[in-house]
């Protein structure tokens, strides 16, 4: 099997668990945060920099790469690993989410989804078979099944139909998968914010034996307490001996709340996106570096950080670079934010190992704030 | 003296010369190409990357830093070296050129130049004294005198007045200079494309004892043969025992033609600017990486290059990144172009040492082309 999961320990007072994913491109310590490299690059970063900050696995987007430069080209380049010069693990999503969030004029049928490219306007079609064909060409270690990610709010009837279609699509994905020996197919539980639909979906999805399972359809606009509630009742429905991936989630508090409820994997564009807007995550909370108060502040971004940015540059310099639209500024804030989340996850793993996760969470909220 | 020049050898059949500049931030082998870091950063690059490609000295712009973030802030940050985390040599221009090329509503008087900021529209004033005050605050190893850089073409009468004013301004610059012990002030020869005015200016400027001299007012739109002609008769007017800096020039052929005529130092935004547009300098000529012909080209940018970019990425990947507006693409082309020019200069130095400069130039033109 392309990916195997090893459960190391679970906390006494929460479902937080420490594990290990074995992949063809290295071992991943979980819980893990996966930086997003949408277009075969984590925005502003080099592979060496990603390794330096401790990234174990990155995510890339099937929808974007299908549109540009095309999966056949990437296959010829030796897959995503060869194309982008990254020799650690990669996960690709299936394009399902982007078809629904980025493209226009979607037409959903049992067969798949017809949509228009957000780049060229060209009419395109994605189906379970096509998505897996693309993901097989991209060659990531973990590939996601083609699903439908409904918006929030959505009618119960629609959510039910959609989750059932996602289940039927999963069976077709597994059937179409040509590289099960070196690519692990994960199924995605849907069902919106409806408890019984989540249960139904989880039962269906886990009835297919797969190396991992994801929870999709969250962080789509619902209030955070609702997301936590869905996690609360959904993760126990997933097998203990398989990794659990919460898709598209990555704010510090969501990582804590997800881990507490038994999630092992997270991804989100948040740290890199807000970095480019000049918002930095620090041990004492968010810091908007463009603010005038930092103009003559020669201290480091985060007093308790030892990333490349904090080791070498002042708030004043970083602010200057961002105000002057200099790319190096975006590099510095991106490095810092990713380092922050990856280090946070490292500390979370240690806290789980030492069975003091809930205390660590409390301490973190006290210094960082909750938002 | 902040900077001393050591002449190592001169070629037999040209004025190409091999030298060494000793500065407070290291020894610079000449002839040298200086990457431009306008706003206290060489666009897209980290200091470590600049060192890795062999940059010995970089240039930064007084005009831009005066406007933003302000020289007093940079003084407080420990000067440009501390502010931007660069411990090798720096040269700052005087702002003269930018006042004339970027700002609007200039009013030139004997006292200095009144102008409007191209950022805020604010009315500002630069004089020899003010420019040197700013450059003293920035703390570069080499600082340029405040001069007037006339456009091309310009009336002879204007060029004459302007060059004489530049001479009077130079005397005021020297008078105002507060850090001669660790910052070397260079004077700038003007005089447009008029042979006798260049002679007059060179005589005036070199009558002031300074650690180095520059030729300004070239590469301002005149045909290349005219620039070469001006160099042909101007460099011999500069003292042999001082470094000679040709300002704002940096295409490969201009480097050869300048070196051949006795120039030691060059700077130009060309390699970094064209890199961001996707034009790469290679041993076999310019390559426009966005062209469709490179879409499936998995070879490296330059078959004869061993820079980070060429060692790890294909033309197809770089093209994809640029087409997708990904910052990492700009980093890769910038690294390559700067490495190309810096390596070229290294080879030029070796050719001068071995007294085969003209042959090397001929070989280069044959493979790269002349443009």
């Amino acid at each position: 099997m392309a990916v195997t999961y090893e459960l190391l320990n679970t906390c006494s007072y929460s479902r937080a668990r420490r594990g290990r994913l074995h992949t063809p491109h290295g071992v991943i310590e979980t819980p893990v945060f996966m930086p997003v490299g949408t277009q075969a690059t984590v925005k502003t970063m080099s592979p060496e920099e990603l390794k330096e900050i401790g990234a174990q696995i990155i995510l890339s987007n099937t929808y974007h790469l299908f549109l540009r430069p095309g999966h056949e080209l990437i296959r010829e380049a030796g897959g995503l690993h060869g194309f982008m010069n990254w020799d650690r693990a990669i996960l690709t999503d299936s394009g399902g989410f982007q078809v629904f969030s980025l493209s226009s004029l979607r037409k959903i049928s049992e067969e798949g989804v017809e949509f228009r490219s957000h780049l060229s306007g060209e009419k395109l079609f994605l189906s379970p078979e096509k998505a897996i064909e693309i993901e097989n060409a991209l060659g990531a270690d973990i590939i996601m099944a083609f699903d439908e990610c409904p918006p929030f709010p959505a009618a119960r009837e629609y959510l039910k139909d959609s989750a059932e279609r996602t289940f039927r699509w999963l069976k077709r994905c597994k059937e179409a998968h040509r590289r099960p020996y070196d690519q692990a197919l994960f199924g995605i539980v849907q069902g919106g914010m409806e408890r019984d639909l989540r249960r139904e979906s989880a039962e269906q999805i886990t009835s297919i034996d797969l190396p991992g399972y994801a929870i999709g359809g969250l962080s789509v606009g619902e209030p955070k307490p609702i997301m936590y509630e869905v996690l609360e009742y959904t993760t126990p429905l997933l097998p203990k001996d398989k990794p659990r991936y919460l898709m598209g989630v990555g704010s510090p508090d969501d990582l804590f709340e997800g881990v507490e409820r038994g999630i092992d994997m997270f991804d989100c564009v948040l740290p890199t996106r807000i970095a480019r807007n000049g918002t930095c995550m620090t041990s004492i909370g968010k810091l908007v570096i463009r603010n005038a108060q930092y103009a003559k502040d020669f201290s480091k971004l985060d007093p308790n950080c030892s990333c490349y940015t904090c080791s070498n540059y002042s708030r004043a310099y970083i602010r200057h670079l961002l105000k002057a639209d200099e790319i190096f500024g975006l590099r510095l804030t991106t490095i810092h934010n990713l380092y922050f989340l990856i280090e946070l996850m490292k500390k979370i793993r240690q806290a789980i190992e030492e069975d003091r996760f809930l205390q660590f969470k409390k301490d973190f909220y006290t210094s960082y704030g909750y938002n």
Side-chain angles (χ1 to χ4, degrees), chain A:
Chain A
M1 193 173 275
V3 164
T4 55
Y5 177 72
E6 187 186 347
L7 177 60
L8 299 176
N9 74 292
T10 304
C11 280
S12 311
Y13 303 100
S14 78
R15 294 204 294 267
R17 53 195 223 151
R18 181 71 182 84
R20 204 165 270 157
L21 272 182
H22 299 266
T23 83
H25 289 87
V27 173
I28 297 159
E29 305 294 336
T30 64
V32 63
F33 174 76
M34 307 182 281
V36 178
T38 298
Q39 306 191 102
T41 171
V42 174
K43 287 194 192 306
T44 83
M45 300 280 288
S46 74
E48 291 75 15
E49 286 161 351
L50 284 167
K51 287 183 183 179
E52 201 181 303
I53 61 172
Q56 309 181 74
I57 173 173
I58 60 171
L59 180 145
S60 207
N61 292 104
T62 287
Y63 170 86
H64 290 86
L65 297 174
F66 170 50
L67 262 52
R68 184 176 57 192
H71 57 295
E72 285 303 340
L73 188 150
I74 293 179
R75 190 205 301 272
E76 280 179 59
L80 261 180
H81 286 97
F83 189 54
M84 67 181 290
N85 187 34
W86 174 252
D87 59 10
R88 294 194 182 173
I90 303 178
L91 179 151
T92 45
D93 65 5
S94 66
F97 180 75
Q98 282 75 24
V99 163
F100 293 97
S101 64
L102 286 181
S103 71
S104 59
L105 290 171
R106 293 175 298 278
K107 238 191 289 177
I108 309 174
S109 65
E110 186 61 25
E111 180 54 20
V113 187
E114 189 182 273
F115 62 98
R116 284 195 185 274
S117 159
H118 77 290
L119 296 175
S120 65
E122 191 188 351
K123 210 181 267 183
L124 295 166
F125 189 76
L126 271 182
S127 61
E129 291 76 15
K130 185 70 189 175
I132 296 299
E133 179 203 321
I134 299 168
E135 294 194 87
N136 283 167
L138 299 177
D141 302 81
I142 299 172
I143 65 176
M144 302 307 297
F146 188 68
D147 66 332
E148 185 188 343
C149 180
F152 175 84
R156 197 184 141 77
E157 203 52 36
Y158 183 84
L159 288 169
K160 189 173 162 62
D161 286 354
S162 166
E164 281 169 2
R165 187 163 46 234
T166 285
F167 173 48
R168 293 189 297 273
W169 283 357
L170 172 60
K171 290 185 273 191
R172 287 166 53 192
C173 284
K174 193 176 180 189
E175 189 67 28
H177 188 15
R178 292 287 162 272
R179 295 175 59 178
Y181 51 90
D182 70 344
Q183 293 188 288
L185 174 67
F186 280 27
I188 304 171
V189 174
Q190 292 288 353
M193 316 300 157
E194 310 278 327
R195 185 164 187 164
D196 58 335
L197 296 186
R198 283 282 173 184
R199 167 173 296 277
E200 210 169 283
S201 176
E203 280 169 3
Q204 291 173 338
I205 300 296
T206 59
S207 73
I208 315 277
D209 184 36
L210 295 169
Y213 299 95
I215 300 177
L218 291 179
S219 203
V220 289
E222 78 282 8
K224 280 178 186 253
I226 292 192
M227 172 167 95
Y228 302 154
E229 193 196 328
V230 175
L231 288 180
E232 191 73 35
Y233 57 67
T234 306
T235 41
L237 307 173
L238 302 178
K240 278 203 163 57
D241 60 345
K242 297 288 172 66
R244 303 156 176 169
Y245 164 29
L246 175 55
M247 302 182 78
V249 165
S251 67
D253 49 338
D254 288 348
L255 296 185
F256 275 103
E257 301 301 326
V259 166
E260 184 173 341
R261 289 161 179 82
I263 298 294
D264 306 300
M265 303 164 69
F266 301 85
D267 81 282
C268 196
V269 295
L270 180 88
T272 43
R273 180 171 292 165
I274 68 175
R276 296 195 305 282
N277 290 328
T279 300
C280 304
M281 298 168 168
T282 81
S283 58
I284 47 175
K286 275 192 205 161
L287 187 152
V288 179
I289 193 65
R290 283 170 176 272
N291 287 352
Q293 69 187 104
Y294 304 118
K296 291 195 175 195
D297 185 341
F298 299 114
S299 64
K300 53 193 204 175
L301 219 42
D302 183 343
N304 304 307
C305 180
S306 52
C307 77
Y308 169 76
T309 303
C310 289
S311 304
N312 294 291
Y313 304 92
S314 65
R315 292 173 176 179
Y317 182 62
I318 297 165
R319 178 177 187 274
H320 161 67
L321 293 179
L322 291 183
K323 297 285 280 186
D325 290 324
E326 285 287 357
I327 283 173
F328 191 47
L330 309 181
R331 292 178 58 183
L332 292 179
T333 52
T334 301
I335 286 173
H336 172 79
N337 276 2
L338 283 180
Y339 182 88
F340 179 81
L341 276 196
I342 287 171
E343 275 296 298
L344 178 61
M345 225 26 154
K346 200 188 274 180
K347 289 174 198 154
I348 287 177
R349 289 197 297 269
Q350 205 182 333
I352 299 172
E353 283 167 20
E354 295 164 5
D355 207 3
R356 51 174 180 77
F357 171 77
L358 290 178
Q359 183 59 48
F360 179 64
K361 175 180 122 171
K362 204 175 133 193
D363 295 345
F364 179 84
Y365 283 175
T366 306
S367 62
Y368 185 88
Y370 170 89
N371 52 46

